[in-house]
Amino acid sequence: MTVDDIAKRAVPVHVGIIMDGNGRWAQHKKLPRTAGHKEGLETAKKIITAAADAGIKYVTLYTFSTENWKRTQEEVGFLMGLITKHLRAEYDFYKKNGIRIRHIGDTKALPVEVQREMAAAEKDTVEFTRMTVVLAINYGGRDEMLRAFQKLAAQGTAATETSVPAAFDIPELPDADLIIRTGGEKRLSNFLLWHSAYAELIFSETLWPDYTNEEFYADIAEYQSRNRRFGGVK
């Protein structure tokens, strides 16, 4: 499957990806789990490029969840370091592909250097318009909704179907059309709970470091084959 195969029909506007399987990929190869995260970063860059080539406007990557703090101190520290090291280091990649970087999640609990690099990456790429990559870091769907409710309560604003998303981390982020999860698990794991209300779901057995452009395009083709009714009848 290639980008030309899916370009004949409308592509999703917003794709969310749960990049699962880095640790198991490394374990299968008798490597430390950190090696899987390094390889997963390279896969993320390939899939981002593939998505941009297909004309997809938003890709949200589940980078670090609010529950991931339960992992070992070594793994959490490595992931924070990986984020810090690569956010601005990939500026040439963002520029070449016209990618704007945004962030969702509670930044307050993140190390100061991570917060600093995130803010810098967002500022450096604000003029790029080909595609927006949203990094979900210290993110949980429940947490995002809870923080939105708290913001509305502080403002004295009633919670409605329009006021709640307006209080989210990126108010203009559209609902997800498609959510892909690699690694064989079949659950959302607290990812984009509000935005995924009518998303199409695809679960891949492939571990994230082994996920290819061809499989990504095949998943887009699968999405294009589905009859999206949004509760109505066509």
Side-chain angles (χ1 to χ4, degrees), residues 15-220:
V15 177
I17 304 179
I18 303 173
M19 306 177 291
D20 196 14
N22 289 341
R24 281 172 287 155
W25 179 90
Q27 289 171 340
H28 291 169
K29 295 182 178 295
K30 302 189 184 307
L31 297 170
R33 287 176 60 86
T34 53
H37 295 307
K38 285 183 180 178
E39 193 67 25
L41 174 64
E42 296 306 313
T43 299
K45 290 173 63 177
K46 288 186 292 187
I47 298 304
I48 287 169
T49 304
D53 290 343
I56 294 167
K57 290 301 181 183
Y58 294 87
V59 172
T60 299
L61 301 177
Y62 208 4
T63 308
F64 189 89
S65 77
T66 50
E67 290 74 40
N68 285 158
W69 297 106
K70 300 173 186 176
R71 297 187 178 186
T72 66
Q73 186 175 356
E74 177 187 8
E75 186 171 356
V76 169
F78 179 85
L79 286 168
M80 290 297 113
L82 196 66
I83 293 167
T84 303
K85 178 180 178 181
H86 285 279
L87 267 174
R88 272 200 293 179
E90 299 295 345
Y91 175 79
D92 289 343
F93 171 75
Y94 306 145
K95 184 177 180 180
K96 177 182 177 182
N97 292 283
I99 292 167
R100 183 181 182 185
I101 298 296
R102 302 292 301 275
H103 165 262
I104 55 175
D106 187 359
T107 61
K108 296 177 183 177
L110 293 170
V112 174
E113 60 270 22
V114 175
Q115 297 182 43
R116 182 170 57 244
E117 292 301 318
M118 284 166 40
E122 291 197 19
K123 180 180 178 181
D124 290 345
T125 62
V126 70
E127 301 296 332
F128 301 156
T129 59
R130 187 183 182 204
M131 186 176 75
T132 298
V133 171
V134 181
L135 301 177
I137 304 174
N138 195 31
Y139 176 82
R142 287 181 176 180
D143 178 72
E144 182 176 37
M145 286 190 282
L146 179 60
R147 287 186 288 109
F149 295 146
Q150 291 170 339
K151 188 185 299 183
L152 294 176
Q155 297 169 351
T157 303
T160 67
E161 200 157 337
T162 54
S163 68
V164 172
F168 284 164
D169 297 325
I170 302 179
E172 67 273 24
L173 183 66
D175 284 350
D177 298 300
L178 170 64
I179 291 181
I180 298 168
R181 180 171 187 153
T182 62
E185 304 291 355
K186 296 177 175 61
R187 54 180 177 269
L188 290 179
S189 295
N190 203 14
F191 180 56
L192 294 180
L193 296 185
W194 182 283
H195 302 81
S196 65
Y198 276 100
E200 299 298 318
L201 307 179
I202 293 179
F203 299 103
S204 168
E205 295 294 324
T206 305
L207 300 177
W208 177 247
D210 291 329
Y211 190 70
T212 64
N213 291 6
E214 291 75 19
E215 184 171 357
F216 176 68
Y217 289 142
D219 287 342
I220 300 300

